[in-house]
């Protein structure tokens, strides 16, 4: 049994949201420990890292103001993460967007050099590399590999039952992603698949949607050329052939000169989606001293800085009320 020192916050979930929250709490002087199950299908492992309110069609939605606020906070957060960890999170500004038109029909796309003649630059939007963000945020933090099975309030805190034993904490932040439903939260898993091709120095190039279908996009990352992404309601973490074929079609349309590169891997992530597509950030409805940070869907990277700020405020509020 592990008993952290008094006042410790246990963050359940070491994905992009959980790690950034844990980092923000530690930066504020809070004692933090992370419990992470490291399950297959964790959304951050398959996420593109696009910070694109326009590309995600958030204008006019309930998330638009938060998305713009959080996007403005990313440069400061990236600098803090890099200063703390000594490694880059690969924040890159500017996204090229391609709309439907003659330049794309039949694969007639002018190859690099960029910019693409059918693309327009969206200044202010950006991208990061989710694996690097998680690694930088967790640098130096105590991380325990354990799957949380139950949260039980007790006098002065929360008892956390795991597959490896018990933990006790003054407060818990529940950032369990697609697995948050096990703790009484209305979160649905939406599967997304992507391909990582060899090489890839391209800028972020966002495609278009037909109707309400998923958009295609491609971007060069430190680990290869990322091509995404599918979306369907499913809790399966297994890749499938249909998704691979669709993603290769995206590559042929957006980056035809790179589309024949070898596939390094096919990524599968389970996006946690809250009711109405809105994140759940607040106090748990039934569990005292538990703060919720989940349900971000495909906007986890974009909303991470603002979510961390709000969780920090709630933790301080609960600490003052103790």
């Amino acid at each position: 049994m592990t008993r952290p020192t008094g006042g410790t916050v246990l963050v359940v979930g070491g994905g992009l949201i959980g790690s950034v929250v844990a980092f923000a709490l530690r930066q504020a002087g809070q004692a933090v420990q992370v419990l992470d199950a490291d399950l297959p299908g964790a959304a951050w492992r398959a996420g593109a890292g696009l910070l694109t309110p326009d590309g995600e069609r958030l204008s006019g939605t309930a998330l638009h103001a938060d998305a713009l606020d959080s996007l403005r906070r990313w440069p400061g957060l990236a600098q803090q993460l890099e200063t703390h960890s000594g490694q880059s999170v690969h924040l890159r500004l500017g996204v090229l967007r391609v709309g439907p038109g003659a330049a794309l029909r039949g694969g007639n796309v002018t190859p690099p050099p960029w910019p693409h003649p059918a693309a327009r630059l969206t200044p202010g939007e950006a991208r990061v590399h989710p694996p690097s963000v998680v690694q930088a945020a967790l640098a130096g933090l105590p991380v325990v590999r354990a799957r949380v099975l139950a949260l039980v309030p007790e006098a002065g805190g929360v008892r956390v039952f795991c597959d490896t034993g018990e933990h006790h904490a003054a407060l818990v932040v529940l950032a369990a992603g697609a697995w948050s439903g096990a703790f009484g939260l209305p979160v649905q898993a939406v599967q997304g698949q992507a391909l990582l091709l060899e090489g890839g120095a391209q800028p972020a190039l966002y495609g278009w949607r037909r109707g309400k279908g998923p958009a295609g996009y491609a971007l060069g990352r430190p680990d290869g050329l990322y091509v995404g992404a599918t979306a369907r309601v499913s809790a399966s973490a297994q890749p499938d052939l249909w998704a691979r074929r669709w993603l290769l079609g995206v590559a042929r349309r957006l980056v035809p000169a790179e589309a024949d590169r070898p596939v390094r891997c096919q990524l599968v992530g389970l996006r946690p989606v809250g009711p109405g597509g809105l994140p759940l950030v607040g106090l748990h409805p039934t569990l005292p001293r538990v703060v919720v940070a989940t349900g971000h869907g495909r906007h986890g990277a974009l909303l991470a800085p603002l979510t961390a700020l709000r969780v920090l405020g709630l933790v301080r509020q609960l600490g003052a009320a103790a």
Side-chain angles (χ1 to χ4, degrees):
M1 179 182 296
T2 302
R3 290 184 178 271
T5 58
T8 294
V9 177
L10 279 180
V11 177
V12 178
L16 199 147
I17 292 293
S19 64
V20 171
V21 165
F23 175 78
L25 292 174
R26 180 177 55 181
Q27 290 292 98
Q30 179 67 56
V32 182
Q33 187 176 78
V34 178
L35 301 178
D36 184 46
D38 196 25
L39 296 173
W44 67 272
R45 294 190 182 279
L50 286 168
L51 312 177
T52 53
D54 188 20
E56 295 297 325
R57 298 190 295 189
L58 296 180
S59 180
T61 72
L63 280 178
H64 194 222
D66 282 355
L68 294 178
D69 186 354
S70 197
L71 177 59
R72 286 191 290 267
R73 297 177 187 276
W74 253 112
L77 174 60
Q79 184 176 24
Q80 290 181 0
L81 288 168
E82 291 174 352
T83 299
H84 166 75
S85 67
Q87 69 178 59
S88 176
V89 298
H90 304 281
L91 176 66
R92 301 291 183 265
L93 301 180
V95 173
L96 292 167
R97 184 155 294 107
V98 179
L104 289 175
R105 293 193 183 108
N108 296 320
V109 183
T110 303
W114 302 96
H116 189 290
R120 62 182 178 87
L121 178 67
T122 305
E125 295 193 322
R127 54 186 166 125
V128 293
H129 184 232
S132 296
V133 172
V134 171
Q135 186 176 0
L138 294 180
L141 267 175
V143 179
V144 177
R145 293 300 177 199
R147 183 167 188 174
V148 175
L149 305 175
L151 302 173
V152 179
E154 61 180 7
V158 182
R159 179 176 293 184
V160 182
F161 291 90
C162 303
D163 56 357
T164 57
E166 295 181 24
H167 300 257
H168 296 255
L171 300 171
V172 168
V173 177
L174 182 57
W179 296 273
S180 299
F183 304 96
L185 298 174
V187 173
Q188 182 180 48
V190 174
Q191 184 206 76
Q193 296 190 45
L195 293 181
L196 198 61
L197 308 183
E198 294 285 354
Q202 286 74 19
L205 182 64
Y206 219 118
W208 70 94
R209 290 177 173 87
R210 287 188 174 89
K212 296 183 178 180
Y217 43 87
L219 58 152
R221 306 200 318 182
D223 49 359
L225 176 62
Y226 180 101
V227 181
T230 66
R232 68 186 180 99
V233 177
S234 171
S236 171
Q238 295 299 315
D240 62 70
L241 184 58
W242 175 88
R244 184 185 182 97
R245 288 172 175 168
W246 187 85
L247 292 163
L248 288 173
V250 170
R252 285 191 292 270
R253 281 181 172 272
L254 292 182
V255 284
E258 316 293 330
D260 292 331
R261 289 181 177 271
V263 176
R264 291 188 58 185
C265 59
Q266 186 167 341
L267 304 169
V268 182
L270 303 178
R271 306 180 183 108
V273 179
L278 300 177
L280 300 172
V281 181
L283 302 180
H284 195 285
T286 61
L287 297 175
R289 307 192 67 75
V290 175
V291 177
V292 173
T294 188
H296 293 75
R298 59 188 299 127
H299 312 305
L302 176 59
L303 295 174
L306 185 59
T307 296
L309 181 66
R310 288 177 172 168
V311 169
L312 176 59
L314 290 166
V315 167
R316 285 173 168 165
Q317 173 186 324
L318 290 176

